Amino acid sequence: QVQLQESGPGLMKPSETLSLTCAVSGYSITSGYYWGWIRQPPGKGLEWIGSIFHTGSTYYNPSLKSRVTMSVDTSKNQFSLMLNSVTAADTAVYYCARHMGGTHCFDPWGQGTLVTVSS
Amino acid sequence: QSVLTQPPSVSGAPGQRVTISCTGSNSNIGAGYDVHWYQQLPGTAPKLLIYGDTNRPSGVPDRFSGSKSGTSASLAITGLQAEDEADYYCQSYDSSLTTLYVFGTGTKVTVL
């Protein structure tokens, strides 16, 4: 079945650029669907960050758009997120997920990776 | 700030029925966009529970059901079980271009 696995730095300092990768197994990302990133600050709710198609077509949350860049590497069957100028407010568990066409739900999700921004 | 509002918590005894509301507006649920529900067990990633307002993915017990009317949607859990204790989130699309894909504020279900 489809599985997603996030990888990232864990701990960052303010103003740095966050870089996360989501490795997909059990499904070729070129077979269709968008692929998305969602984050969850500790003890808080979920926030959609953006989604990308295997062709590189993207759409981002307007509130984060100025700081977000997503990319895809079809040769490695993975996609990535970059978020620049991070602050403590960007501390969160970051999830990647398959973004289903048609209904636009997210399924399945990766296990998530905690990113802490602290000086 | 989420545009989909849920009650912070609901509770029920084992075997009881509980419902969780998800209130939106004419730019999301009221515009006819699909509503989806996710279950997040403690310390784990969200899992799709209901998609397209009323549909259950394979493997989701039929104790879980979804409905939608006007600018609101609801998730019902019948025959509440201890393993249902979790956070639940609704999600939809918003055409106001403020966030596009929006999640609800989340509801903690406690089994008494």
Side-chain angles (χ1 to χ4, degrees):
Chain A
Q1 76 272 23
V2 185
Q3 292 185 312
L4 297 90
Q5 177 68 59
E6 307 87 348
S7 59
L11 181 63
M12 302 182 61
K13 296 186 183 304
S15 80
E16 291 183 336
T17 295
L18 167 65
S19 181
L20 296 173
T21 296
C22 180
V24 180
S25 59
Y27 187 88
S28 172
I29 62 175
T30 60
S31 294
Y33 298 120
Y34 272 78
W35 302 86
W37 289 97
I38 302 104
R39 69 180 182 178
Q40 184 175 35
K44 296 187 178 181
L46 300 163
E47 179 182 37
W48 172 72
I49 300 170
S51 298
I52 187 166
F53 198 59
H54 68 85
T55 57
S57 174
T58 56
Y59 52 114
Y60 302 138
N61 186 326
S63 69
L64 297 169
K65 186 176 182 178
S66 63
R67 298 195 292 132
V68 171
T69 302
M70 294 179 63
S71 61
V72 62
D73 186 337
T74 56
S75 67
K76 295 182 178 179
N77 212 42
Q78 63 186 35
F79 58 103
S80 299
L81 168 71
M82 292 182 67
L83 179 68
N84 60 37
S85 304
V86 297
T87 69
D90 295 310
T91 293
V93 175
Y94 286 75
Y95 297 101
C96 59
R98 185 172 61 178
H99 191 171
M100 309 294 280
T103 62
H104 299 288
C105 61
F106 297 91
D107 179 60
W109 297 54
Q111 66 182 29
T113 185
L114 175 62
V115 175
T116 302
V117 180
S118 174
S119 55
Chain B
Q1 184 173 352
S2 177
V3 297
L4 300 180
T5 303
Q6 300 178 231
S9 64
V10 298
S11 62
Q16 284 190 330
R17 179 179 187 270
V18 297
T19 62
I20 302 170
S21 60
C22 174
T23 302
S25 66
N26 289 325
S27 64
N28 42 68
I29 299 175
Y33 295 113
D34 286 341
V35 177
H36 320 294
W37 292 90
Y38 302 87
Q39 177 192 58
Q40 186 174 32
L41 297 169
T44 70
K47 168 194 164 186
L48 183 66
L49 197 65
I50 297 287
Y51 69 94
D53 301 338
T54 61
N55 303 289
R56 285 186 307 277
S58 175
V60 173
D62 60 6
R63 301 185 292 104
F64 295 93
S65 62
S67 63
K68 185 173 79 176
S69 178
T71 58
S72 295
S74 292
L75 173 71
I77 310 174
T78 57
L80 193 64
Q81 298 183 7
E83 63 253 36
D84 299 334
E85 189 159 292
D87 293 323
Y88 293 82
Y89 294 90
C90 58
Q91 178 244 316
S92 187
Y93 176 84
D94 190 283
S95 61
S96 67
L97 301 182
T98 54
T99 52
L100 298 182
Y101 293 98
V102 292
F103 288 91
T105 49
T107 299
K108 169 69 176 180
V109 170
T110 300
V111 182
L112 301 172

